[in-house]
Amino acid sequence: GCQDQLRRVGGVNEATPLGTPAPAVFGKDSLMLDLRTPSGATGVLACGRAGDRFITLSVLVVDPTPGVGAAAFERVAAGLVVH
């Protein structure tokens, strides 16, 4: 699931839900997690289901400024379409 995916993409933090809804493409039972790597990169990992497929999107930035990773995720996710 999402917690396993957090580790697969290099996350070293606890799987902390952001409390904000994921883009609609991730489905109603989606989850958005804070993502941090050993190098100091920060961002967001979103996971959910599109039909019978498990889908994820992670966006990382190397910028310690709070919110920069989440803002980058929002820009990328805004154009996401799953076929």
Side-chain angles (χ1 to χ4, degrees):
C2 288
Q3 293 178 355
D4 293 334
Q5 188 64 19
L6 183 74
R7 299 293 169 245
R8 284 187 200 108
V9 297
V12 294
N13 56 300
E14 293 296 318
T16 306
L18 292 177
T20 56
V25 70
F26 289 94
K28 65 181 177 110
D29 295 324
S30 61
L31 186 62
M32 290 196 11
L33 301 174
D34 182 45
L35 175 57
R36 298 174 189 276
T37 69
S39 68
T42 63
V44 174
L45 168 72
C47 1
R49 292 211 159 274
D52 61 349
R53 295 179 291 165
F54 179 69
I55 58 171
T56 68
L57 173 66
S58 55
V59 175
L60 288 163
V61 295
V62 182
D63 186 330
T65 308
V68 171
F73 177 89
E74 291 298 324
R75 286 192 302 274
V76 172
L80 185 64
V81 176
V82 176
H83 296 278

